Amino acid sequence: MKKLFPLPANIRRRLLVAATCGIMIMPMTATASGNDNNKNVVERIEKESNGNITIEIPQNILELILQQPAQKKDGHEMKTGINKLSGFRIQVFSDGRNQHTLEARAKARGSAILAKFPKYRGQIYTYSSSPNWYTRVGNFRTSAEANSALAELKKAFPNYASEMRVVKCQIVVIKP
């Protein structure tokens, strides 16, 4: 058992309230016999203890209370498997003109990037939001990572550089 003391009055009171929840469930024989001192258990304990309260907490419970929460990134708990969270991608194609060739051009842009940068395999996203088609690359958690990759892509594809930009969107992160 580990003893925690001294505690500030507001915390002592909260712990007493929590601790007495179990006591209140048990039948109170003194209250049944008409003793008014037991009606408010918290006040009675505070009065009798004169503000000096020792709380004994089993070690396993204390460890659970003090245990650090699971690692979070951007307010999202990372679970094993597929995680969707807020992040960044690089938009390398966005167009709504010449409707009959849009899909092919969007996919061709993604294929060209994949040919030069195989590290983006599985991270090329081509989709339509009528009337436009988009191709986005990567799953970057921070804008700094995305901007670094953007500079790399612009250098490799100077003809497309003016169209490329970092966009904030939902990304997919796979945790093994």
PDB file of all heavy atoms in Angstrom, residues 82-84 88-93 106-107 109-111 113-114 120-128 133-140 169-174:
ATOM      1  N   ILE A  82      -5.074   0.176 -39.623  1.00  0.00           N
ATOM      2  CA  ILE A  82      -5.274   1.383 -40.428  1.00  0.00           C
ATOM      3  C   ILE A  82      -5.852   2.501 -39.561  1.00  0.00           C
ATOM      4  O   ILE A  82      -6.862   2.317 -38.890  1.00  0.00           O
ATOM      5  CB  ILE A  82      -6.213   1.090 -41.613  1.00  0.00           C
ATOM      6  CG1 ILE A  82      -5.570   0.056 -42.531  1.00  0.00           C
ATOM      7  CG2 ILE A  82      -6.532   2.361 -42.376  1.00  0.00           C
ATOM      8  CD1 ILE A  82      -6.485  -0.453 -43.635  1.00  0.00           C
ATOM      9  N   ASN A  83      -5.196   3.653 -39.592  1.00  0.00           N
ATOM     10  CA  ASN A  83      -5.647   4.835 -38.857  1.00  0.00           C
ATOM     11  C   ASN A  83      -5.873   5.968 -39.842  1.00  0.00           C
ATOM     12  O   ASN A  83      -5.035   6.232 -40.693  1.00  0.00           O
ATOM     13  CB  ASN A  83      -4.588   5.270 -37.841  1.00  0.00           C
ATOM     14  CG  ASN A  83      -4.409   4.268 -36.733  1.00  0.00           C
ATOM     15  OD1 ASN A  83      -5.151   4.281 -35.781  1.00  0.00           O
ATOM     16  ND2 ASN A  83      -3.432   3.386 -36.875  1.00  0.00           N
ATOM     17  N   LYS A  84      -6.993   6.649 -39.733  1.00  0.00           N
ATOM     18  CA  LYS A  84      -7.269   7.831 -40.549  1.00  0.00           C
ATOM     19  C   LYS A  84      -7.187   9.030 -39.630  1.00  0.00           C
ATOM     20  O   LYS A  84      -7.845   9.072 -38.605  1.00  0.00           O
ATOM     21  CB  LYS A  84      -8.646   7.741 -41.197  1.00  0.00           C
ATOM     22  CG  LYS A  84      -8.736   6.671 -42.250  1.00  0.00           C
ATOM     23  CD  LYS A  84     -10.073   6.656 -42.941  1.00  0.00           C
ATOM     24  CE  LYS A  84     -10.090   5.569 -43.998  1.00  0.00           C
ATOM     25  NZ  LYS A  84     -11.345   5.539 -44.729  1.00  0.00           N
ATOM     26  N   PHE A  88      -1.467  15.835 -44.295  1.00  0.00           N
ATOM     27  CA  PHE A  88      -1.210  16.589 -45.519  1.00  0.00           C
ATOM     28  C   PHE A  88      -0.873  15.649 -46.673  1.00  0.00           C
ATOM     29  O   PHE A  88      -0.299  14.585 -46.468  1.00  0.00           O
ATOM     30  CB  PHE A  88      -0.040  17.559 -45.298  1.00  0.00           C
ATOM     31  CG  PHE A  88      -0.274  18.521 -44.179  1.00  0.00           C
ATOM     32  CD1 PHE A  88       0.071  18.208 -42.876  1.00  0.00           C
ATOM     33  CD2 PHE A  88      -0.871  19.751 -44.426  1.00  0.00           C
ATOM     34  CE1 PHE A  88      -0.154  19.084 -41.841  1.00  0.00           C
ATOM     35  CE2 PHE A  88      -1.105  20.640 -43.399  1.00  0.00           C
ATOM     36  CZ  PHE A  88      -0.747  20.309 -42.104  1.00  0.00           C
ATOM     37  N   ARG A  89      -1.232  16.093 -47.863  1.00  0.00           N
ATOM     38  CA  ARG A  89      -0.848  15.427 -49.102  1.00  0.00           C
ATOM     39  C   ARG A  89      -0.403  16.498 -50.075  1.00  0.00           C
ATOM     40  O   ARG A  89      -0.700  17.680 -49.913  1.00  0.00           O
ATOM     41  CB  ARG A  89      -2.018  14.641 -49.696  1.00  0.00           C
ATOM     42  CG  ARG A  89      -2.353  13.393 -48.909  1.00  0.00           C
ATOM     43  CD  ARG A  89      -3.286  12.475 -49.655  1.00  0.00           C
ATOM     44  NE  ARG A  89      -3.472  11.264 -48.871  1.00  0.00           N
ATOM     45  CZ  ARG A  89      -4.617  10.658 -48.703  1.00  0.00           C
ATOM     46  NH1 ARG A  89      -5.711  11.117 -49.287  1.00  0.00           N
ATOM     47  NH2 ARG A  89      -4.689   9.562 -47.982  1.00  0.00           N
ATOM     48  N   ILE A  90       0.277  16.056 -51.129  1.00  0.00           N
ATOM     49  CA  ILE A  90       0.701  16.982 -52.172  1.00  0.00           C
ATOM     50  C   ILE A  90      -0.233  16.795 -53.354  1.00  0.00           C
ATOM     51  O   ILE A  90      -0.341  15.695 -53.899  1.00  0.00           O
ATOM     52  CB  ILE A  90       2.156  16.714 -52.595  1.00  0.00           C
ATOM     53  CG1 ILE A  90       3.074  16.880 -51.392  1.00  0.00           C
ATOM     54  CG2 ILE A  90       2.553  17.648 -53.732  1.00  0.00           C
ATOM     55  CD1 ILE A  90       4.456  16.351 -51.611  1.00  0.00           C
ATOM     56  N   GLN A  91      -0.917  17.854 -53.723  1.00  0.00           N
ATOM     57  CA  GLN A  91      -1.805  17.806 -54.885  1.00  0.00           C
ATOM     58  C   GLN A  91      -0.941  18.072 -56.117  1.00  0.00           C
ATOM     59  O   GLN A  91      -0.326  19.124 -56.239  1.00  0.00           O
ATOM     60  CB  GLN A  91      -2.906  18.848 -54.760  1.00  0.00           C
ATOM     61  CG  GLN A  91      -3.953  18.743 -55.847  1.00  0.00           C
ATOM     62  CD  GLN A  91      -5.183  19.523 -55.472  1.00  0.00           C
ATOM     63  OE1 GLN A  91      -5.898  19.141 -54.547  1.00  0.00           O
ATOM     64  NE2 GLN A  91      -5.426  20.609 -56.172  1.00  0.00           N
ATOM     65  N   VAL A  92      -0.909  17.070 -57.020  1.00  0.00           N
ATOM     66  CA  VAL A  92      -0.059  17.186 -58.211  1.00  0.00           C
ATOM     67  C   VAL A  92      -0.876  17.373 -59.483  1.00  0.00           C
ATOM     68  O   VAL A  92      -0.319  17.677 -60.539  1.00  0.00           O
ATOM     69  CB  VAL A  92       0.887  15.967 -58.360  1.00  0.00           C
ATOM     70  CG1 VAL A  92       1.876  15.921 -57.208  1.00  0.00           C
ATOM     71  CG2 VAL A  92       0.102  14.670 -58.460  1.00  0.00           C
ATOM     72  N   PHE A  93      -2.206  17.190 -59.369  1.00  0.00           N
ATOM     73  CA  PHE A  93      -3.065  17.387 -60.534  1.00  0.00           C
ATOM     74  C   PHE A  93      -4.431  17.829 -60.063  1.00  0.00           C
ATOM     75  O   PHE A  93      -4.997  17.268 -59.126  1.00  0.00           O
ATOM     76  CB  PHE A  93      -3.197  16.091 -61.338  1.00  0.00           C
ATOM     77  CG  PHE A  93      -4.060  16.222 -62.568  1.00  0.00           C
ATOM     78  CD1 PHE A  93      -3.523  16.704 -63.754  1.00  0.00           C
ATOM     79  CD2 PHE A  93      -5.406  15.890 -62.544  1.00  0.00           C
ATOM     80  CE1 PHE A  93      -4.317  16.841 -64.893  1.00  0.00           C
ATOM     81  CE2 PHE A  93      -6.197  16.028 -63.666  1.00  0.00           C
ATOM     82  CZ  PHE A  93      -5.655  16.507 -64.838  1.00  0.00           C
ATOM     83  N   ALA A 106      -5.076  12.528 -65.105  1.00  0.00           N
ATOM     84  CA  ALA A 106      -4.861  12.468 -63.654  1.00  0.00           C
ATOM     85  C   ALA A 106      -4.096  11.201 -63.281  1.00  0.00           C
ATOM     86  O   ALA A 106      -3.136  11.239 -62.508  1.00  0.00           O
ATOM     87  CB  ALA A 106      -6.207  12.516 -62.923  1.00  0.00           C
ATOM     88  N   LYS A 107      -4.487  10.072 -63.871  1.00  0.00           N
ATOM     89  CA  LYS A 107      -3.808   8.801 -63.582  1.00  0.00           C
ATOM     90  C   LYS A 107      -2.393   8.792 -64.155  1.00  0.00           C
ATOM     91  O   LYS A 107      -1.475   8.242 -63.544  1.00  0.00           O
ATOM     92  CB  LYS A 107      -4.622   7.634 -64.118  1.00  0.00           C
ATOM     93  CG  LYS A 107      -5.880   7.393 -63.301  1.00  0.00           C
ATOM     94  CD  LYS A 107      -6.664   6.221 -63.806  1.00  0.00           C
ATOM     95  CE  LYS A 107      -7.892   5.987 -62.926  1.00  0.00           C
ATOM     96  NZ  LYS A 107      -8.699   4.870 -63.385  1.00  0.00           N
ATOM     97  N   ARG A 109      -0.404  11.334 -64.448  1.00  0.00           N
ATOM     98  CA  ARG A 109       0.443  12.142 -63.564  1.00  0.00           C
ATOM     99  C   ARG A 109       0.888  11.308 -62.360  1.00  0.00           C
ATOM    100  O   ARG A 109       2.056  11.313 -61.978  1.00  0.00           O
ATOM    101  CB  ARG A 109      -0.324  13.378 -63.112  1.00  0.00           C
ATOM    102  CG  ARG A 109       0.411  14.360 -62.274  1.00  0.00           C
ATOM    103  CD  ARG A 109       1.369  15.282 -63.028  1.00  0.00           C
ATOM    104  NE  ARG A 109       0.786  15.950 -64.162  1.00  0.00           N
ATOM    105  CZ  ARG A 109       0.271  17.179 -64.152  1.00  0.00           C
ATOM    106  NH1 ARG A 109       0.260  17.878 -63.042  1.00  0.00           N
ATOM    107  NH2 ARG A 109      -0.221  17.719 -65.244  1.00  0.00           N
ATOM    108  N   GLY A 110      -0.042  10.570 -61.791  1.00  0.00           N
ATOM    109  CA  GLY A 110       0.296   9.697 -60.658  1.00  0.00           C
ATOM    110  C   GLY A 110       1.284   8.615 -61.052  1.00  0.00           C
ATOM    111  O   GLY A 110       2.234   8.321 -60.312  1.00  0.00           O
ATOM    112  N   SER A 111       1.105   8.031 -62.229  1.00  0.00           N
ATOM    113  CA  SER A 111       2.017   6.987 -62.711  1.00  0.00           C
ATOM    114  C   SER A 111       3.415   7.537 -62.952  1.00  0.00           C
ATOM    115  O   SER A 111       4.415   6.871 -62.671  1.00  0.00           O
ATOM    116  CB  SER A 111       1.477   6.363 -64.005  1.00  0.00           C
ATOM    117  OG  SER A 111       0.262   5.717 -63.738  1.00  0.00           O
ATOM    118  N   ILE A 113       4.850  10.016 -61.391  1.00  0.00           N
ATOM    119  CA  ILE A 113       5.476  10.244 -60.086  1.00  0.00           C
ATOM    120  C   ILE A 113       5.910   8.917 -59.479  1.00  0.00           C
ATOM    121  O   ILE A 113       7.016   8.789 -58.955  1.00  0.00           O
ATOM    122  CB  ILE A 113       4.525  11.026 -59.156  1.00  0.00           C
ATOM    123  CG1 ILE A 113       4.435  12.466 -59.660  1.00  0.00           C
ATOM    124  CG2 ILE A 113       4.988  10.966 -57.705  1.00  0.00           C
ATOM    125  CD1 ILE A 113       3.411  13.315 -58.987  1.00  0.00           C
ATOM    126  N   LEU A 114       5.071   7.911 -59.587  1.00  0.00           N
ATOM    127  CA  LEU A 114       5.392   6.597 -59.043  1.00  0.00           C
ATOM    128  C   LEU A 114       6.607   5.986 -59.740  1.00  0.00           C
ATOM    129  O   LEU A 114       7.426   5.325 -59.098  1.00  0.00           O
ATOM    130  CB  LEU A 114       4.184   5.664 -59.165  1.00  0.00           C
ATOM    131  CG  LEU A 114       4.267   4.337 -58.441  1.00  0.00           C
ATOM    132  CD1 LEU A 114       4.528   4.550 -56.955  1.00  0.00           C
ATOM    133  CD2 LEU A 114       2.987   3.555 -58.640  1.00  0.00           C
ATOM    134  N   TYR A 120       6.451   6.116 -53.000  1.00  0.00           N
ATOM    135  CA  TYR A 120       5.048   6.535 -52.888  1.00  0.00           C
ATOM    136  C   TYR A 120       4.063   5.465 -53.358  1.00  0.00           C
ATOM    137  O   TYR A 120       2.881   5.739 -53.510  1.00  0.00           O
ATOM    138  CB  TYR A 120       4.811   7.848 -53.644  1.00  0.00           C
ATOM    139  CG  TYR A 120       5.524   9.023 -53.023  1.00  0.00           C
ATOM    140  CD1 TYR A 120       6.450   9.764 -53.737  1.00  0.00           C
ATOM    141  CD2 TYR A 120       5.270   9.387 -51.706  1.00  0.00           C
ATOM    142  CE1 TYR A 120       7.111  10.840 -53.164  1.00  0.00           C
ATOM    143  CE2 TYR A 120       5.929  10.452 -51.117  1.00  0.00           C
ATOM    144  CZ  TYR A 120       6.843  11.175 -51.851  1.00  0.00           C
ATOM    145  OH  TYR A 120       7.494  12.234 -51.272  1.00  0.00           O
ATOM    146  N   ARG A 121       4.555   4.231 -53.566  1.00  0.00           N
ATOM    147  CA  ARG A 121       3.652   3.141 -53.958  1.00  0.00           C
ATOM    148  C   ARG A 121       2.566   2.991 -52.889  1.00  0.00           C
ATOM    149  O   ARG A 121       2.848   2.942 -51.708  1.00  0.00           O
ATOM    150  CB  ARG A 121       4.419   1.835 -54.117  1.00  0.00           C
ATOM    151  CG  ARG A 121       3.538   0.677 -54.546  1.00  0.00           C
ATOM    152  CD  ARG A 121       4.324  -0.548 -54.952  1.00  0.00           C
ATOM    153  NE  ARG A 121       5.355  -0.293 -55.962  1.00  0.00           N
ATOM    154  CZ  ARG A 121       5.126  -0.088 -57.267  1.00  0.00           C
ATOM    155  NH1 ARG A 121       3.885  -0.102 -57.713  1.00  0.00           N
ATOM    156  NH2 ARG A 121       6.116   0.114 -58.099  1.00  0.00           N
ATOM    157  N   GLY A 122       1.328   2.960 -53.308  1.00  0.00           N
ATOM    158  CA  GLY A 122       0.210   2.866 -52.379  1.00  0.00           C
ATOM    159  C   GLY A 122      -0.206   4.203 -51.790  1.00  0.00           C
ATOM    160  O   GLY A 122      -1.115   4.268 -50.974  1.00  0.00           O
ATOM    161  N   GLN A 123       0.473   5.283 -52.204  1.00  0.00           N
ATOM    162  CA  GLN A 123       0.153   6.604 -51.682  1.00  0.00           C
ATOM    163  C   GLN A 123      -0.175   7.592 -52.796  1.00  0.00           C
ATOM    164  O   GLN A 123      -0.011   8.797 -52.647  1.00  0.00           O
ATOM    165  CB  GLN A 123       1.335   7.144 -50.868  1.00  0.00           C
ATOM    166  CG  GLN A 123       1.641   6.325 -49.632  1.00  0.00           C
ATOM    167  CD  GLN A 123       2.765   6.944 -48.830  1.00  0.00           C
ATOM    168  OE1 GLN A 123       2.748   8.146 -48.547  1.00  0.00           O
ATOM    169  NE2 GLN A 123       3.739   6.149 -48.459  1.00  0.00           N
ATOM    170  N   ILE A 124      -0.641   7.085 -53.924  1.00  0.00           N
ATOM    171  CA  ILE A 124      -1.086   7.934 -55.032  1.00  0.00           C
ATOM    172  C   ILE A 124      -2.616   7.834 -55.043  1.00  0.00           C
ATOM    173  O   ILE A 124      -3.170   6.745 -55.190  1.00  0.00           O
ATOM    174  CB  ILE A 124      -0.518   7.458 -56.400  1.00  0.00           C
ATOM    175  CG1 ILE A 124       1.003   7.337 -56.361  1.00  0.00           C
ATOM    176  CG2 ILE A 124      -1.012   8.360 -57.518  1.00  0.00           C
ATOM    177  CD1 ILE A 124       1.757   8.632 -56.379  1.00  0.00           C
ATOM    178  N   TYR A 125      -3.272   8.950 -54.867  1.00  0.00           N
ATOM    179  CA  TYR A 125      -4.737   8.976 -54.773  1.00  0.00           C
ATOM    180  C   TYR A 125      -5.294   9.801 -55.924  1.00  0.00           C
ATOM    181  O   TYR A 125      -5.080  11.010 -55.993  1.00  0.00           O
ATOM    182  CB  TYR A 125      -5.167   9.585 -53.431  1.00  0.00           C
ATOM    183  CG  TYR A 125      -4.583   8.846 -52.248  1.00  0.00           C
ATOM    184  CD1 TYR A 125      -3.362   9.243 -51.700  1.00  0.00           C
ATOM    185  CD2 TYR A 125      -5.223   7.746 -51.704  1.00  0.00           C
ATOM    186  CE1 TYR A 125      -2.808   8.565 -50.628  1.00  0.00           C
ATOM    187  CE2 TYR A 125      -4.682   7.063 -50.632  1.00  0.00           C
ATOM    188  CZ  TYR A 125      -3.471   7.473 -50.099  1.00  0.00           C
ATOM    189  OH  TYR A 125      -2.930   6.794 -49.040  1.00  0.00           O
ATOM    190  N   THR A 126      -6.010   9.135 -56.846  1.00  0.00           N
ATOM    191  CA  THR A 126      -6.649   9.809 -57.968  1.00  0.00           C
ATOM    192  C   THR A 126      -8.152   9.655 -57.801  1.00  0.00           C
ATOM    193  O   THR A 126      -8.649   8.546 -57.621  1.00  0.00           O
ATOM    194  CB  THR A 126      -6.188   9.193 -59.309  1.00  0.00           C
ATOM    195  OG1 THR A 126      -4.768   9.340 -59.402  1.00  0.00           O
ATOM    196  CG2 THR A 126      -6.834   9.891 -60.486  1.00  0.00           C
ATOM    197  N   TYR A 127      -8.855  10.784 -57.835  1.00  0.00           N
ATOM    198  CA  TYR A 127     -10.308  10.726 -57.646  1.00  0.00           C
ATOM    199  C   TYR A 127     -10.973  11.907 -58.336  1.00  0.00           C
ATOM    200  O   TYR A 127     -10.331  12.873 -58.731  1.00  0.00           O
ATOM    201  CB  TYR A 127     -10.670  10.697 -56.150  1.00  0.00           C
ATOM    202  CG  TYR A 127     -10.292  11.945 -55.410  1.00  0.00           C
ATOM    203  CD1 TYR A 127     -11.223  12.952 -55.199  1.00  0.00           C
ATOM    204  CD2 TYR A 127      -9.006  12.129 -54.917  1.00  0.00           C
ATOM    205  CE1 TYR A 127     -10.886  14.114 -54.536  1.00  0.00           C
ATOM    206  CE2 TYR A 127      -8.656  13.283 -54.243  1.00  0.00           C
ATOM    207  CZ  TYR A 127      -9.598  14.264 -54.053  1.00  0.00           C
ATOM    208  OH  TYR A 127      -9.253  15.412 -53.387  1.00  0.00           O
ATOM    209  N   SER A 128     -12.284  11.794 -58.444  1.00  0.00           N
ATOM    210  CA  SER A 128     -13.071  12.825 -59.112  1.00  0.00           C
ATOM    211  C   SER A 128     -14.041  13.461 -58.128  1.00  0.00           C
ATOM    212  O   SER A 128     -14.629  12.782 -57.292  1.00  0.00           O
ATOM    213  CB  SER A 128     -13.861  12.197 -60.254  1.00  0.00           C
ATOM    214  OG  SER A 128     -14.796  13.112 -60.764  1.00  0.00           O
ATOM    215  N   TRP A 133     -10.946  16.487 -61.621  1.00  0.00           N
ATOM    216  CA  TRP A 133     -10.189  15.297 -61.242  1.00  0.00           C
ATOM    217  C   TRP A 133      -8.961  15.759 -60.479  1.00  0.00           C
ATOM    218  O   TRP A 133      -8.389  16.806 -60.769  1.00  0.00           O
ATOM    219  CB  TRP A 133      -9.768  14.491 -62.475  1.00  0.00           C
ATOM    220  CG  TRP A 133     -10.835  13.543 -62.913  1.00  0.00           C
ATOM    221  CD1 TRP A 133     -11.891  13.832 -63.727  1.00  0.00           C
ATOM    222  CD2 TRP A 133     -10.974  12.183 -62.545  1.00  0.00           C
ATOM    223  NE1 TRP A 133     -12.681  12.723 -63.889  1.00  0.00           N
ATOM    224  CE2 TRP A 133     -12.126  11.685 -63.164  1.00  0.00           C
ATOM    225  CE3 TRP A 133     -10.235  11.322 -61.735  1.00  0.00           C
ATOM    226  CZ2 TRP A 133     -12.562  10.375 -63.026  1.00  0.00           C
ATOM    227  CZ3 TRP A 133     -10.673  10.010 -61.606  1.00  0.00           C
ATOM    228  CH2 TRP A 133     -11.821   9.553 -62.238  1.00  0.00           C
ATOM    229  N   TYR A 134      -8.574  14.959 -59.473  1.00  0.00           N
ATOM    230  CA  TYR A 134      -7.443  15.303 -58.625  1.00  0.00           C
ATOM    231  C   TYR A 134      -6.512  14.101 -58.507  1.00  0.00           C
ATOM    232  O   TYR A 134      -6.963  12.955 -58.494  1.00  0.00           O
ATOM    233  CB  TYR A 134      -7.900  15.661 -57.200  1.00  0.00           C
ATOM    234  CG  TYR A 134      -8.853  16.823 -57.153  1.00  0.00           C
ATOM    235  CD1 TYR A 134     -10.231  16.624 -57.201  1.00  0.00           C
ATOM    236  CD2 TYR A 134      -8.380  18.124 -57.039  1.00  0.00           C
ATOM    237  CE1 TYR A 134     -11.103  17.687 -57.152  1.00  0.00           C
ATOM    238  CE2 TYR A 134      -9.252  19.202 -56.989  1.00  0.00           C
ATOM    239  CZ  TYR A 134     -10.616  18.976 -57.044  1.00  0.00           C
ATOM    240  OH  TYR A 134     -11.478  20.028 -57.005  1.00  0.00           O
ATOM    241  N   THR A 135      -5.226  14.389 -58.364  1.00  0.00           N
ATOM    242  CA  THR A 135      -4.234  13.370 -57.996  1.00  0.00           C
ATOM    243  C   THR A 135      -3.424  13.956 -56.862  1.00  0.00           C
ATOM    244  O   THR A 135      -2.883  15.061 -56.971  1.00  0.00           O
ATOM    245  CB  THR A 135      -3.320  13.003 -59.180  1.00  0.00           C
ATOM    246  OG1 THR A 135      -4.125  12.481 -60.234  1.00  0.00           O
ATOM    247  CG2 THR A 135      -2.289  11.959 -58.775  1.00  0.00           C
ATOM    248  N   ARG A 136      -3.389  13.202 -55.764  1.00  0.00           N
ATOM    249  CA  ARG A 136      -2.636  13.628 -54.584  1.00  0.00           C
ATOM    250  C   ARG A 136      -1.664  12.527 -54.185  1.00  0.00           C
ATOM    251  O   ARG A 136      -1.938  11.349 -54.388  1.00  0.00           O
ATOM    252  CB  ARG A 136      -3.589  13.956 -53.429  1.00  0.00           C
ATOM    253  CG  ARG A 136      -4.423  15.185 -53.730  1.00  0.00           C
ATOM    254  CD  ARG A 136      -5.354  15.543 -52.607  1.00  0.00           C
ATOM    255  NE  ARG A 136      -6.090  16.758 -52.939  1.00  0.00           N
ATOM    256  CZ  ARG A 136      -7.064  17.246 -52.196  1.00  0.00           C
ATOM    257  NH1 ARG A 136      -7.418  16.651 -51.069  1.00  0.00           N
ATOM    258  NH2 ARG A 136      -7.687  18.364 -52.566  1.00  0.00           N
ATOM    259  N   VAL A 137      -0.563  12.952 -53.586  1.00  0.00           N
ATOM    260  CA  VAL A 137       0.518  12.025 -53.262  1.00  0.00           C
ATOM    261  C   VAL A 137       0.859  12.124 -51.779  1.00  0.00           C
ATOM    262  O   VAL A 137       0.974  13.226 -51.233  1.00  0.00           O
ATOM    263  CB  VAL A 137       1.781  12.362 -54.093  1.00  0.00           C
ATOM    264  CG1 VAL A 137       2.950  11.469 -53.714  1.00  0.00           C
ATOM    265  CG2 VAL A 137       1.496  12.268 -55.575  1.00  0.00           C
ATOM    266  N   GLY A 138       1.064  10.966 -51.166  1.00  0.00           N
ATOM    267  CA  GLY A 138       1.621  10.901 -49.823  1.00  0.00           C
ATOM    268  C   GLY A 138       0.622  10.887 -48.696  1.00  0.00           C
ATOM    269  O   GLY A 138      -0.577  11.111 -48.884  1.00  0.00           O
ATOM    270  N   ASN A 139       1.143  10.579 -47.526  1.00  0.00           N
ATOM    271  CA  ASN A 139       0.435  10.616 -46.247  1.00  0.00           C
ATOM    272  C   ASN A 139       1.397  11.243 -45.256  1.00  0.00           C
ATOM    273  O   ASN A 139       2.154  10.552 -44.580  1.00  0.00           O
ATOM    274  CB  ASN A 139       0.049   9.203 -45.786  1.00  0.00           C
ATOM    275  CG  ASN A 139      -1.047   8.606 -46.625  1.00  0.00           C
ATOM    276  OD1 ASN A 139      -2.096   9.200 -46.789  1.00  0.00           O
ATOM    277  ND2 ASN A 139      -0.801   7.431 -47.184  1.00  0.00           N
ATOM    278  N   PHE A 140       1.389  12.555 -45.174  1.00  0.00           N
ATOM    279  CA  PHE A 140       2.335  13.274 -44.329  1.00  0.00           C
ATOM    280  C   PHE A 140       1.635  13.776 -43.079  1.00  0.00           C
ATOM    281  O   PHE A 140       0.576  14.397 -43.164  1.00  0.00           O
ATOM    282  CB  PHE A 140       2.945  14.457 -45.091  1.00  0.00           C
ATOM    283  CG  PHE A 140       3.603  14.050 -46.384  1.00  0.00           C
ATOM    284  CD1 PHE A 140       2.953  14.235 -47.586  1.00  0.00           C
ATOM    285  CD2 PHE A 140       4.859  13.461 -46.375  1.00  0.00           C
ATOM    286  CE1 PHE A 140       3.536  13.855 -48.777  1.00  0.00           C
ATOM    287  CE2 PHE A 140       5.454  13.073 -47.563  1.00  0.00           C
ATOM    288  CZ  PHE A 140       4.794  13.270 -48.775  1.00  0.00           C
ATOM    289  N   CYS A 169      -5.681  17.349 -45.510  1.00  0.00           N
ATOM    290  CA  CYS A 169      -6.761  16.382 -45.731  1.00  0.00           C
ATOM    291  C   CYS A 169      -6.605  15.193 -44.793  1.00  0.00           C
ATOM    292  O   CYS A 169      -5.657  15.120 -44.024  1.00  0.00           O
ATOM    293  CB  CYS A 169      -6.775  15.932 -47.195  1.00  0.00           C
ATOM    294  SG  CYS A 169      -5.272  15.099 -47.711  1.00  0.00           S
ATOM    295  N   GLN A 170      -7.564  14.288 -44.856  1.00  0.00           N
ATOM    296  CA  GLN A 170      -7.486  13.037 -44.099  1.00  0.00           C
ATOM    297  C   GLN A 170      -6.418  12.160 -44.748  1.00  0.00           C
ATOM    298  O   GLN A 170      -6.390  12.001 -45.957  1.00  0.00           O
ATOM    299  CB  GLN A 170      -8.820  12.298 -44.124  1.00  0.00           C
ATOM    300  CG  GLN A 170      -9.887  12.914 -43.250  1.00  0.00           C
ATOM    301  CD  GLN A 170      -9.603  12.711 -41.785  1.00  0.00           C
ATOM    302  OE1 GLN A 170      -9.256  13.647 -41.104  1.00  0.00           O
ATOM    303  NE2 GLN A 170      -9.733  11.513 -41.305  1.00  0.00           N
ATOM    304  N   ILE A 171      -5.541  11.592 -43.921  1.00  0.00           N
ATOM    305  CA  ILE A 171      -4.517  10.696 -44.433  1.00  0.00           C
ATOM    306  C   ILE A 171      -4.697   9.314 -43.810  1.00  0.00           C
ATOM    307  O   ILE A 171      -5.443   9.152 -42.838  1.00  0.00           O
ATOM    308  CB  ILE A 171      -3.089  11.223 -44.155  1.00  0.00           C
ATOM    309  CG1 ILE A 171      -2.815  11.316 -42.662  1.00  0.00           C
ATOM    310  CG2 ILE A 171      -2.877  12.555 -44.860  1.00  0.00           C
ATOM    311  CD1 ILE A 171      -1.355  11.597 -42.327  1.00  0.00           C
ATOM    312  N   VAL A 172      -3.998   8.351 -44.361  1.00  0.00           N
ATOM    313  CA  VAL A 172      -4.047   6.984 -43.879  1.00  0.00           C
ATOM    314  C   VAL A 172      -2.671   6.638 -43.327  1.00  0.00           C
ATOM    315  O   VAL A 172      -1.667   6.761 -44.031  1.00  0.00           O
ATOM    316  CB  VAL A 172      -4.420   6.012 -45.019  1.00  0.00           C
ATOM    317  CG1 VAL A 172      -4.387   4.572 -44.521  1.00  0.00           C
ATOM    318  CG2 VAL A 172      -5.773   6.362 -45.592  1.00  0.00           C
ATOM    319  N   VAL A 173      -2.623   6.199 -42.061  1.00  0.00           N
ATOM    320  CA  VAL A 173      -1.376   5.777 -41.448  1.00  0.00           C
ATOM    321  C   VAL A 173      -1.595   4.351 -40.962  1.00  0.00           C
ATOM    322  O   VAL A 173      -2.540   4.078 -40.215  1.00  0.00           O
ATOM    323  CB  VAL A 173      -0.966   6.696 -40.274  1.00  0.00           C
ATOM    324  CG1 VAL A 173       0.299   6.197 -39.614  1.00  0.00           C
ATOM    325  CG2 VAL A 173      -0.792   8.126 -40.769  1.00  0.00           C
ATOM    326  N   ILE A 174      -0.714   3.454 -41.375  1.00  0.00           N
ATOM    327  CA  ILE A 174      -0.829   2.050 -40.974  1.00  0.00           C
ATOM    328  C   ILE A 174       0.198   1.775 -39.891  1.00  0.00           C
ATOM    329  O   ILE A 174       1.390   1.978 -40.075  1.00  0.00           O
ATOM    330  CB  ILE A 174      -0.617   1.111 -42.170  1.00  0.00           C
ATOM    331  CG1 ILE A 174      -1.674   1.395 -43.224  1.00  0.00           C
ATOM    332  CG2 ILE A 174      -0.653  -0.353 -41.720  1.00  0.00           C
ATOM    333  CD1 ILE A 174      -1.485   0.672 -44.528  1.00  0.00           C
TER     334      ILE A 174
END
